[in-house]
Amino acid sequence: MAMTMQGEVVLPADRAAVWAALNDPEVLKTCIPGCESLEKTSDTEFKAVAKVAIGPVKATFKGAVQLSDLDPPNGYTIGGEGQGGIAGFAKGGAKVRLEEVPE
């Protein structure tokens, strides 16, 4: 099963501040649905634990999150995958692009 999401959000902050936040594990953790922990293992890699419910099935997934295609402070690609035991595996990602907008 594949899920596709798209959209944009305008934040009342300058690009450098948003870039710094998107590279902060605590902030990034709040952006990942169900994420319970996110531990930085390198400048571009994290270990993650997320609890996810799909219908009546609830599972804890343990896996990795990677940042690639880094273009500071303009954006990056974030990807992750994890194992959920009997629930199987999950994989996902997003392209993050930051742009200045007129006030």
Side-chain angles (χ1 to χ4, degrees), residues 23-66:
N23 285 279
D24 179 326
E26 285 303 311
V27 173
L28 194 54
K29 175 182 157 188
T30 66
C31 299
I32 300 171
C35 191
E36 292 187 331
S37 68
L38 189 66
E39 178 186 337
K40 192 171 190 172
T41 58
S42 77
D43 286 343
T44 59
E45 297 176 330
F46 304 84
K47 285 196 291 188
V49 175
K51 279 196 175 175
V52 180
I54 301 171
V57 178
K58 294 179 182 170
T60 299
F61 288 84
K62 295 180 181 179
V65 175
Q66 304 86 27

Side-chain angles (χ1 to χ4, degrees), residues 3-102:
M3 178 172 53
T4 302
M5 297 183 295
Q6 61 184 19
E8 67 180 50
V9 176
V10 177
L11 301 171
D14 64 61
R15 188 180 343 195
V18 175
W19 177 259
L22 286 174
N23 285 279
D24 179 326
E26 285 303 311
V27 173
L28 194 54
K29 175 182 157 188
T30 66
C31 299
I32 300 171
C35 191
E36 292 187 331
S37 68
L38 189 66
E39 178 186 337
K40 192 171 190 172
T41 58
S42 77
D43 286 343
T44 59
E45 297 176 330
F46 304 84
K47 285 196 291 188
V49 175
K51 279 196 175 175
V52 180
I54 301 171
V57 178
K58 294 179 182 170
T60 299
F61 288 84
K62 295 180 181 179
V65 175
Q66 304 86 27
L67 305 180
S68 60
D69 304 324
L70 275 77
D71 180 20
N74 303 307
Y76 58 52
T77 300
I78 183 170
E81 55 186 55
Q83 294 290 327
I86 192 167
F89 69 94
K91 185 175 182 178
K95 290 196 179 285
V96 178
R97 189 179 79 225
L98 303 177
E99 297 178 350
E100 297 285 342
V101 295

